[in-house]
Amino acid sequence: MPKIIPIRKLRDTSEISELCHSTKEPIFITKNGVGDMVIMSLETFEENSGMSDFYGIKKDE
């Protein structure tokens, strides 16, 4: 189930960072009840976008 939070919650950056890393899924941000942004951990982004190959990023083994 997607995680959806209001934009005012972005003030607590440590909590948002922990949430991004613990869910390993995109987090949807709403503004005035309407979808506005999506955030995720760098690891999740790399796994889902294929951009790690483009940038030459090597994952730790």
Side-chain angles (χ1 to χ4, degrees):
M1 182 141 171
K3 186 72 174 169
I4 302 170
I5 61 172
I7 199 164
R8 63 179 151 66
K9 290 274 192 166
L10 292 179
R11 291 181 181 153
D12 189 350
T13 56
S14 294
E15 180 182 339
I16 296 299
S17 177
E18 289 176 21
L19 185 60
C20 285
H21 291 282
S22 67
T23 61
K24 299 202 184 274
E25 293 182 351
I27 299 171
F28 298 88
I29 310 298
T30 61
K31 183 176 182 181
N32 297 323
V34 178
D36 188 53
M37 295 184 279
V38 177
I39 60 173
M40 65 183 81
S41 69
L42 183 57
E43 178 183 21
T44 301
F45 173 76
E46 290 172 350
E47 288 173 359
N48 292 318
S49 71
M51 294 300 287
S52 59
D53 292 335
F54 178 77
Y55 291 115
I57 299 170
K58 303 271 186 203
K59 290 189 177 189
D60 294 336
E61 296 180 18

